[in-house]
Amino acid sequence: MTKAEIKKLFVAIEKHDQDSVLGILAKDKGAIETVGHHNANCRDKTPLMYAMQCEDFELANKLIELGANVKAKMPAGPETSVIQLAVKFGHGLNPNFDKWLSFTQKLIEQGANPSEALWPACHGYNKVADKPEIISLLLQNGASLEGEVGNSGSTVKELLVINSQLYSSRVLNLFGL
């Protein structure tokens, strides 16, 4: 795809223009995994990631049906994955929290790794909203407490203990703390 075509794809996603998005993808099946570069909002994201960022759940679900990689990672920076973005966008203060919870479940069902998202979900948790459902979902689906967080040398569990004051008793109970 040319830069202009890539830009057109991501602008269509941003405008919730599903017909244009699906038309572009029908012409070029490989475009489903192309990476946006034309602005900071879509930089390094796949169409699925950007549809999620735009909270277009209908389009995101269609992209998954068309074969979008739910295990994709942004190629630069921290290499954030699809499921990590979902739990980041779906924090407890987001008015669409329930949609994010359902969408995160779908990502797991499609093969996304819940362990990748556990620390981002914990990091995005807000004690004021106290919505631990995404954290609970990840744990119920096998997310590991022993996974190292970035290059910190600390595990998720160790960071939870260190930062326990940031979490409600509901969240700490999920982790057996």
Side-chain angles (χ1 to χ4, degrees):
M1 290 183 78
T2 67
K3 285 184 179 183
E5 291 167 326
I6 292 170
K7 182 175 181 176
K8 187 176 180 181
L9 172 62
F10 283 88
V11 167
I13 293 168
E14 190 171 323
K15 291 183 176 185
H16 303 278
D17 182 355
Q18 290 187 25
D19 291 336
S20 293
V21 172
L22 297 176
I24 292 167
L25 295 177
K27 291 178 188 172
D28 182 354
K29 302 259 187 253
I32 200 161
E33 295 304 326
T34 200
V35 176
H37 298 290
H38 69 280
N39 71 43
N41 290 330
C42 70
R43 179 148 297 152
D44 295 328
K45 293 179 181 79
T46 64
L48 172 58
M49 293 172 176
Y50 198 53
M52 290 167 39
Q53 181 175 322
C54 295
E55 292 195 334
D56 191 336
F57 296 100
E58 185 179 341
L59 178 58
N61 281 308
K62 284 183 182 179
L63 293 172
I64 291 171
E65 289 171 17
L66 291 171
N69 183 3
V70 299
K71 298 178 186 179
K73 293 185 179 186
M74 295 169 65
E79 298 182 359
T80 306
S81 70
V82 172
I83 194 168
Q84 287 171 326
L85 287 173
V87 301
K88 175 185 172 190
F89 298 146
H91 58 79
L93 295 174
N94 185 309
N96 288 318
F97 178 81
D98 291 335
K99 290 180 181 180
W100 284 110
L101 179 63
S102 296
F103 192 75
T104 302
Q105 175 68 47
K106 179 170 188 151
L107 292 173
I108 292 168
E109 290 168 358
Q110 296 295 313
N113 182 353
S115 293
E116 287 180 1
L118 186 56
W119 179 248
C122 292
H123 189 260
Y125 169 82
N126 185 300
K127 195 173 183 178
V128 173
D130 194 23
K131 293 183 178 178
E133 290 87 349
I134 288 178
I135 295 170
S136 180
L137 173 68
L138 297 169
L139 291 169
Q140 290 168 6
N141 283 279
S144 173
L145 295 172
E146 303 307 322
E148 187 175 322
V149 176
N151 59 3
S152 68
S154 298
T155 66
V156 172
K157 189 170 188 173
E158 290 168 338
L159 289 174
L160 286 165
V161 169
I162 292 167
N163 297 297
S164 62
Q165 75 281 1
L166 300 175
Y167 302 97
S168 70
S169 59
R170 291 176 65 203
V171 172
L172 295 174
N173 286 336
L174 289 172
F175 293 102
L177 301 174

